[in-house]
Amino acid sequence: MAFKLPELPYPVQALEPYIDQRTMEIHHGKHHAAYTNNLNAAIQGTPMDSMSIEELLKNLDMNNMAVRNNGGGYYNHCLFWEIMAPPTGSKPEGALANAIQESFGSFDAFKEKFTQAAMTRFGSGWAWLCVHPGGKLEICSTSNQDNTLMPGIGCGGTPVLGIDVWEHAYYLHYQNRRADYINNFFDVINWSEVARRYEAGK
Ligand code: MN
């Protein structure tokens, strides 16, 4: 069973001006496609071939760098497209909003901590908002294409929100201004999808 590159859930220009069309075309059509193809090549003929991506990552041999890098790249980008949407000005609501309040004190404190995790990730990687069983939220960051489903990586929760801070995610439009990219990312977060992932993961 080969993994498939998912369609974007919105047109490539839908996140403009926060994330530009050309970046989306290359990021989805080239980078995510390459992770998908390389993952499929790396698991062909192994027991991983019949696993879900989550099962594969949770049981991963971390020394298997081809599956670690490309399996992480496949999962992380599938999540990334879904947790973004054309800007609506929405904010977290309901149980997710309460969990943010309880875990971080306020939405602004959450935003500051998430931004700091994304800003201080040296080189390539991701910042995550994760949920633990019981509903507590935690922020962490991981390098390269690692994520918190992998054994011993990050805070160990289930990702409900993530931001890609590889330069390929922002350099065409923002060049070295990672801080501006992160700040604008908050305008295209799909909070209803984050809430869905929170409910499923808690
Ligand atoms: Mn990426």
Side-chain angles (χ1 to χ4, degrees), residues 75-84 128 159-162 197:
Y75 174 90
N76 295 347
H77 291 85
C78 288
L79 177 144
F80 192 51
W81 312 136
E82 289 183 6
I83 57 84
M84 294 192 291
W128 304 104
V160 298
L161 175 70
R197 288 172 178 268

Side-chain angles (χ1 to χ4, degrees), residues 27 77 164 168:
H27 201 177
H77 291 85
D164 186 346
H168 71 219

